[in-house]
Amino acid sequence: MADPASGGPSANEQGMRDEIVRLKKMVQALMNRAERSTSARGSDFSLFQTAILLEDQVRRRTEDLEAALRENEKITRVLQNTSLQMEMEISQRRRVQDALFQSEQRYRTATEAAQDIFITVDDDNVIVFVNPSVQRILGYAPSQLIGRDFGTLMPPHLRTAKRNLSWNGVQVPCLHQDGSEVPLEFSFGEFVQNGRRYFTGIARDITERKRAEALREGQLRVLEMIALDAPLEESLASLQQCIEAQYEGMLSAVILPDESARLMLYCIAPSLPASFREALVGCPIGPDAGCCGSAMYRREPVIVPDVMVDPLCAGLRGIAEANGLRACWSHPIISGAGKVLGAFSVYYRHVRMPDKPELKLIELAVRIAGIAIERKQDEDYIRHMAHHDALTGLPNRLLLEDRLSQAIARAARYHALVAVLFVDLDHFKHVNDSLGHHIGDKLLQAIGERMQDCLREGDSIARLGGDEFVICLAEVSRNRDAAAVAQKIQAALAESFTVDGNVLQVGSSIGISLYPLDGADAEALLRAADAAMYDAKAKGRGNYQFFTPALNIAAQQRLTVSNQLRQALVRGEFVLYYQPQVSLRSGAIVGVEALMRWKRCQHGKHDLVSPTHFIPILEEIGLMAEAGKWVLREACMQAAAWQKMGLAPIRLAVNLSARQFAGDDIVRTVIEVLDESGLGPEWLELEITESLMFDDSERIIHAMHELKRLGVSLSLDDFGTGYSSLSYLRRFPVDRVKIDRSFVQDLTTNAGGADIVRSILALSQKLGLAAIAEGVETEAQLGYLRQQGCAEIQGYLFSPPFPAEEMTLLLRSDRRIPLFSHLPLPEHTLMVVDDDEQVGAALKRLLHKEGLHVLCASRVEDAFELLACNSVGVILADLDISGDSGIDFLARTKRLHPDSIRILLTGEAEIAAVVNAINKGAIYKILVKPWVDQFLVENIREAFALYAALKEAFVLHPVTDYGSL
């Protein structure tokens, strides 16, 4: 056997080999001896036989020895391999032990340095290891916990005799050493050592995550409340609750100022003591008016670490001390237009300064509070403007009909009369034509005020538009009472009006209808009063007339038209015209609206009847649904035909009346028409009116959502003429709002109409809705809408409605509206408004070197036209512009174009009027004629610098919308 240590033969093996050699030598000696004996004495058989036997013995022994040697070699090789394997295993075990030792060192180092808690418990829930982080998170030193039951870290209601720790991402509140609860997230793993089970895991402090989740959930809850039109006080209170939960001991308040921003009007602060809230209400807003009042006045955050020593809070120190309030800081809430909406204030019962995260939290609260306040103000303003005439502030037709209906209901209960007076001003158009619309607007305002003075407290007056007013006299006893009011109004209007130095005389024609004699509802009474008013005009104007049965001729004519309309559907007399809808970004046609026309056959001739004359009658006689279905089918067929001709696909807008939703098959009708025509649903837009939105039935809402699921888009037609409520826009899934033509007609000169258009555009942008303005007929209207960010327009300025054949030619021509990209930027555009043309020419020459583009207008009307068509940064206006007041012009400009910088150029001025204009923000500066060139240029440079700074500030700090939060 080989020696495993040296690799050579063993002693036993060497002895066996030596014996074989010895035996071989003995056999060889015997053989030699036998040979010698034989040769000397002859044959010696016994000796020879002995030699043979020995040789055989040697052979066998040799074979045995050789077999043994071979076996030994095998064993030697096995032992050698085993030895090598043992050496390798020993080496590998040493490496594993070294790696385990290093891993244990790394694990210990990592656990000791980790921010999370590393903990190990045995099968009996006894803690056997915990890293030092437990002291930072739970207040215990590791030595205090090792050997204790794991359940001691749990609140009493979560403790059990033995706990299964197969946890992964389980959130558990644990007890701090001071008794407070700390939310931890546990993840355990199981291992076995020396036959025992152990659980080792990580516990992460999720306090900040929980706080962030609570903040995020609170934000979503508040934004949902805002979207659902919750009362402003509830939304702000929920916001305060969310913010206060982030910092222990924080108390908050939202202060809302009065309209003049001089006094604190409301204090919304559920967590503050009632006595302190009441003390804040009525406090002034000023530079040294406490923390809240100063923040709103200075328009910047005000921080008071200690109320007891800061002189700013001297006025409220006593009440603050009585309620245990020591620290306060307040941030102003400012709208995107720069208006102070209120202040968000924070209070503590101990002296302290805010940290950076707290300041960021308050900034977030300020943004959300601003959204809630602004949205409420916008909704109130739009609701008011939707129910009132923008020029006079009087109720409009919608509000009048509501009040008239209420008066009728009361009169029916008490068997009284209701009178409706339809007042039309005689020859009012002459005032607009001769003196201008601005004089006409002021005259209408004065007329409205004077007529209001003639009425009782319970009566109503409304302006329907133009020079038409309607008065509702509730609960009159005799028709002579209505006649007396009509006489009083005509006498009041007969007295002269003085408008901007012009003495004006107006007359009036009045028609009177009575409930229940002339009609049973508001619409019938208005129709009767209107007919009586036309009768008064026909009888020479300047008088009043009661409705009489003779005036029913018009009603009879209406019956005739109704019968003709019933035949028109059968005879196929209805035709479709199409009016383009144009993008103001590309200038291209992006859609068409299908408009129904009646090609009436009368006395062998065909005349085209406007829809305003027959659509209401179709609705009255119940044919609107059938006619609407025909319009939908024909329009979709034509749109599909245009696509088959190779024309680019465009949006097709089709009007749906409320009666079409009255049935149960509107969705099925749309599906059938789309299938029949082959038009993709993405190219169909259905226009609905605001009257449909008054119906809150689930069936209507369900039908609209079903149409949306088909891929059809929905548009709200004539937006602004109804209630225009945000809640309606939220409830109904509309994609686009359509600004009514009544607001577009005079938006370049009527500040009220312009305000409504801007509000609608801003509202649609905030809600992510597209907007299109209809009835655009002038370049000025187009320019103003483009400036306000309106995306699309529709109107005669681009194209009148065409029949399908002519519309096909228009689509093929690819005609586009000019993009006005050649116009200079407002940062380089100055407008001079002066009736002295030499002044404009001189300023053009003077400012040419400044690189300015100078526009000149000698009349106020021309100036508004240019302002609508051009983006103007600075306006320089004379005090007297062709008899018009430059101060009034700049005041109107402020409302129509609030971003412009306005300068008054004058040789003389009435100080009070100028000071009043400056105080109202209508005038930035006053320059005197004749001017010094260098001085004038420097002031104009400053004005453009101010314009650029304000524009940059608005761009860099826009109002945050809902989605950004």
Side-chain angles (χ1 to χ4, degrees), residues 878-880 904-909 926-930:
D878 190 26
L879 180 63
D880 184 22
L904 183 67
L905 183 64
T906 179
E908 56 180 329
I926 301 176
L927 301 180
V928 181
K929 292 192 296 186

Side-chain angles (χ1 to χ4, degrees), residues 404-446:
L404 182 53
S405 297
Q406 294 179 26
I408 291 172
R410 286 196 302 271
R413 188 178 305 117
Y414 298 109
H415 305 289
L417 299 177
V418 176
V420 175
L421 281 63
F422 202 114
V423 182
D424 186 86
L425 304 180
D426 296 332
H427 307 298
F428 179 78
K429 187 175 183 297
H430 297 334
V431 177
N432 281 338
D433 293 343
S434 59
L435 299 177
H437 286 278
H438 66 290
I439 297 295
D441 290 348
K442 292 183 178 180
L443 178 58
L444 287 172
Q445 292 170 344

Side-chain angles (χ1 to χ4, degrees), residues 553-569:
I553 297 174
Q556 294 174 0
Q557 293 175 343
R558 192 177 187 86
L559 180 60
T560 301
V561 172
S562 300
N563 293 330
Q564 291 174 339
L565 283 172
R566 296 180 193 277
Q567 297 299 319
L569 275 173

Side-chain angles (χ1 to χ4, degrees), residues 112-123:
E112 290 178 354
Q115 296 296 311
D116 298 330
I117 297 175
F118 281 72
I119 186 169
T120 301
V121 299
D122 62 16
D123 197 27

Side-chain angles (χ1 to χ4, degrees), residues 165-435:
L165 295 179
S166 300
W167 292 352
N168 185 15
V170 177
Q171 297 180 5
V172 178
C174 289
L175 287 178
H176 193 276
Q177 192 176 27
D178 61 11
S180 61
E181 290 189 0
V182 179
L184 299 181
E185 183 179 77
F186 284 91
S187 293
F188 276 98
E190 180 182 346
F191 69 95
V192 178
Q193 183 176 346
N194 298 328
R196 293 198 63 184
R197 287 199 313 164
Y198 292 88
F199 301 89
T200 187
I202 299 174
R204 176 162 297 169
D205 184 357
I206 57 174
T207 303
E208 291 301 321
R209 188 203 303 175
K210 286 286 187 181
R211 185 177 298 171
E213 289 175 354
L215 178 61
R216 184 167 56 252
E217 291 173 0
Q219 290 180 60
L220 294 175
R221 182 173 61 253
V222 173
L223 292 175
E224 183 179 12
M225 293 177 70
I226 295 172
L228 293 174
D229 289 339
L232 178 62
E233 186 171 350
E234 292 182 12
S235 299
L236 294 178
S238 180
L239 171 64
Q240 292 171 258
Q241 181 183 7
C242 168
I243 297 299
E244 290 172 2
Q246 297 297 303
Y247 282 85
E248 185 176 356
M250 176 189 284
L251 306 172
S252 66
V254 176
I255 312 298
L256 302 180
D258 63 359
E259 191 64 30
S260 65
R262 294 179 181 176
L263 296 174
M264 301 184 200
L265 189 60
Y266 297 106
C267 176
I268 302 170
S271 58
L272 281 177
S275 59
F276 189 76
R277 293 199 306 267
E278 294 168 359
L280 288 177
V281 174
C283 286
I285 296 173
D288 301 307
C291 190
C292 305
S294 299
M296 286 188 277
Y297 180 83
R298 300 176 187 177
R299 305 167 69 87
E300 64 183 13
V302 174
I303 298 175
V304 178
D306 190 352
V307 173
M308 296 298 108
V309 299
D310 198 309
L312 194 63
C313 298
L316 292 170
R317 186 170 298 154
I319 189 69
E321 184 177 13
N323 288 281
L325 302 176
R326 289 298 299 270
C328 172
W329 46 88
S330 184
H331 290 235
I333 304 170
I334 301 175
S335 71
K339 179 183 176 182
V340 175
L341 303 174
F344 193 98
S345 302
V346 171
Y347 297 87
Y348 281 94
R349 298 187 182 276
H350 56 275
V351 176
R352 63 164 290 174
M353 285 284 290
D355 52 29
K356 287 185 178 179
E358 193 168 5
L359 289 175
K360 289 184 178 179
L361 178 67
I362 303 307
E363 290 174 2
L364 172 65
V366 167
R367 288 197 298 272
I368 298 178
I371 291 173
I373 298 170
E374 251 193 305
R375 179 160 180 169
K376 182 65 168 62
Q377 291 182 351
D378 287 346
E379 185 173 356
D380 290 345
Y381 178 73
I382 290 178
R383 184 182 292 110
H384 174 82
M385 296 305 292
H387 291 79
H388 292 80
D389 176 53
L391 176 63
T392 63
L394 297 174
N396 59 12
R397 186 186 188 97
L398 186 66
L399 184 55
L400 171 72
E401 290 180 349
D402 180 67
R403 292 182 178 178
L404 182 53
S405 297
Q406 294 179 26
I408 291 172
R410 286 196 302 271
R413 188 178 305 117
Y414 298 109
H415 305 289
L417 299 177
V418 176
V420 175
L421 281 63
F422 202 114
V423 182
D424 186 86
L425 304 180
D426 296 332
H427 307 298
F428 179 78
K429 187 175 183 297
H430 297 334
V431 177
N432 281 338
D433 293 343
S434 59
L435 299 177

